[in-house]
Amino acid sequence: MSKILVINCGSSSLKYQLIDMENESLLAKGLCERIGIEGSKLTHKPTGKAEYVDEAYVPDHKVAVQKVLAALIDKEHGVINSVDEIAAVGHRVLHGGTKYSESIVVNDDVKKVIRECFDLGPLHNPANLIGIEACEAAMPGKPNVAVFDTAFGMAMEEKAYMYAIPYKYYEKYGIRRYGFHGTSHMFVSHEALKFAELDPEKGRVIVCHLGNGSSVSASIGGKCVDTSMGLTPLEGMIMGTRSGDVDPAILQFIMNHEHIDINEMLDILNKKSGFLGMTNGLSSDNRDIAAAAKAGNHLAQVAQTACRYRVAKYIGAYTAAMNGVDAICFTGGIGENDGEFRQEVCDYLGYLGVKLDPEKNKVRGVETLISAPDSKVKVCLIPTNEELAIARETKRLTE
């Protein structure tokens, strides 16, 4: 019984992978979307078999889990004979607050904490808990493991996670830097220690997780020192539609002049800013921005260079925080696929002795050392694999 089912629940979706941990091979993956909405669809992709699509209405997550299990054991497009072959279920859970600093087998207290963090992760935590309870109902007695996206950042020291605001807000509400994309940063930073042959205890790694949502982390020996996202995923990088770092007084200025409330303002910062805002509504997608920049669109050029500039600034800051850096890793949709982006970020890092190998940097989505042999810092492309990271944590806790 070495098979782990990995579940990632959204408010109206359920992504899954079934992984055989004997050799960490993917047996099947899929997505159930539009749960509770007309036009529900389950897309099931078994490895080595034809894709299967079921367009029957899915009223809730409990039914979604049942459909996933039925697809996994189906005679034609299934990959296992029985649900009994699944050893445990690993769940991506956004927020564990200050209570949980690592993954844990789900019990009543864990569910209580996930519920208490609803206001810290209003879009994700309720859906994550629904997914856990749906799996408990469908597979009674099967261990469920919560892998918290915030766990990686819980290793930070107070100097990195405390905000310079009245302390009572930390005491009352747990307001601090948590960091997100934690499972990705954990996976890539640990992979980098092995791949770049660094000291497993002292290796200093900066991970640039760059996509529609982006964040940068610094870690020593795989333990987080600092990370760019904060109480929420809004802080830090310029992203597809998120502003990243802004002067907080901008909020008051715009709200007073536009006569809008704080909810509308945060909606603007989360959904109408970043690439989309900087390009005056052109696109939130890096590929569109790059194409428009090449065609001479000035706002696209500014958005593109500003984003790369900010990544380079964070790398500089985190190099200072760790008193040096041994490896810089690129991951995520942009980090893994945009060689020009990687090159332009590294062009800022000459003072560190960083040099890319132009030929190696042409690679996309394959684990590769892309720095030149005489680079003083190793630069790696390491594709992230959050599902495998969740499966590894689940196996570790349930064996």
Side-chain angles (χ1 to χ4, degrees):
M1 290 231 306
S2 59
K3 298 175 182 71
I4 303 288
L5 179 61
V6 176
I7 297 280
N8 181 356
C9 271
S11 55
S12 62
S13 66
L14 187 157
K15 283 200 288 188
Y16 65 94
Q17 287 194 9
L18 184 66
I19 300 172
D20 187 342
M21 296 306 290
E22 289 265 323
N23 53 10
E24 297 190 338
S25 62
L26 177 66
L27 299 177
K29 65 177 181 177
L31 169 66
C32 191
E33 52 195 319
R34 298 181 65 83
I35 297 169
I37 306 167
E38 284 304 317
S40 305
K41 183 165 78 168
L42 170 69
T43 305
H44 174 71
K45 298 177 180 176
T47 302
K49 295 184 179 182
E51 180 177 300
Y52 164 74
V53 178
D54 178 359
E55 295 188 343
Y57 178 63
V58 182
D60 55 38
H61 287 76
K62 192 181 280 190
V63 173
V65 169
Q66 289 166 352
K67 278 186 167 290
V68 168
L69 296 177
L72 289 170
I73 64 172
D74 185 87
K75 287 279 188 286
E76 262 181 71
H77 43 259
V79 291
I80 53 176
N81 295 316
S82 157
V83 171
D84 293 339
E85 289 183 43
I86 299 171
V89 187
H91 298 263
R92 179 185 182 270
V93 180
L94 182 79
H95 227 297
T98 56
K99 181 75 184 284
Y100 290 117
S101 57
E102 53 185 37
S103 309
I104 190 165
V105 177
V106 173
N107 57 27
D108 287 342
D109 186 63
V110 173
K111 289 193 280 187
K112 179 169 164 280
V113 170
I114 294 171
R115 196 172 281 110
E116 286 168 357
C117 292
F118 277 8
D119 59 344
L120 287 171
L123 295 178
H124 298 88
N125 267 44
N128 301 154
L129 184 59
I130 287 167
I132 288 169
E133 292 180 334
C135 286
E136 287 177 333
M139 294 174 279
K142 195 80 72 180
N144 287 267
V145 171
V147 180
F148 295 101
D149 205 39
T150 50
F152 182 72
M154 294 304 288
M156 286 185 283
E157 294 180 12
E158 286 174 302
K159 65 182 180 185
Y161 73 69
M162 290 300 293
Y163 287 110
I165 59 174
Y167 187 70
K168 63 182 180 182
Y169 298 128
Y170 173 70
E171 292 181 299
K172 285 170 77 172
Y173 308 117
I175 291 178
R176 53 159 281 174
R177 177 181 305 284
Y178 287 99
F180 298 89
H181 297 141
T183 312
S184 173
H185 285 289
M186 175 180 72
F187 178 84
V188 175
S189 59
H190 282 95
E191 200 69 19
L193 292 172
K194 292 183 287 184
F195 180 66
E197 299 178 335
L198 306 180
D199 184 324
E201 302 295 321
K202 297 177 184 172
R204 298 164 298 182
V205 176
I206 293 174
V207 174
C208 304
H209 177 112
L210 307 172
N212 196 262
S214 296
S215 56
V216 178
S217 72
S219 62
I220 298 176
K223 289 193 165 53
C224 182
V225 171
D226 209 338
T227 188
S228 60
M229 285 178 167
L231 174 74
T232 74
L234 185 56
E235 191 179 355
M237 295 296 109
I238 296 167
M239 306 177 222
T241 63
R242 294 186 195 126
S243 64
D245 297 335
V246 294
D247 177 351
I250 291 170
L251 281 65
Q252 182 190 40
F253 186 93
I254 293 173
M255 287 162 65
N256 287 344
H257 283 76
E258 297 283 324
H259 309 293
I260 58 176
D261 66 14
I262 189 63
N263 295 313
E264 206 172 333
M265 187 69 245
L266 280 175
D267 191 64
I268 290 166
L269 292 178
N270 272 299
K271 297 177 181 173
K272 298 173 184 174
S273 299
F275 283 156
L276 186 66
M278 288 185 82
T279 59
N280 202 22
L282 173 70
S283 179
S284 63
D285 192 303
N286 174 63
R287 292 164 294 190
D288 298 337
I289 304 301
K294 278 193 175 72
N297 184 305
H298 177 66
L299 292 180
Q301 290 167 349
V302 172
Q304 191 177 53
T305 53
C307 181
R308 295 166 187 189
Y309 175 65
R310 188 168 296 186
V311 175
K313 283 208 298 181
Y314 265 97
I315 292 171
Y318 289 167
T319 300
M322 296 190 293
N323 194 22
V325 61
D326 300 308
I328 297 165
C329 302
F330 290 91
T331 194
I334 296 171
E336 292 171 28
N337 294 299
D338 192 334
E340 189 179 297
F341 193 109
R342 296 189 296 260
Q343 180 66 63
E344 288 202 14
V345 169
C346 290
D347 285 346
Y348 283 100
L349 308 177
Y351 67 96
L352 291 175
V354 169
K355 281 190 199 170
L356 285 197
D357 181 315
E359 282 305 309
K360 289 179 180 172
N361 189 41
K362 288 176 181 174
V363 73
R364 293 165 64 100
V366 178
E367 193 165 87
T368 312
L369 186 70
I370 57 174
S371 47
D374 60 340
S375 179
K376 289 182 181 171
V377 179
K378 291 181 177 179
V379 184
C380 310
L381 188 166
I382 298 183
T384 193
N385 192 334
E386 293 181 59
E387 290 79 12
L388 180 55
I390 291 168
R392 285 174 177 171
E393 285 289 277
T394 304
K395 180 175 186 272
R396 178 178 68 82
L397 288 166
T398 57
E399 270 190 333

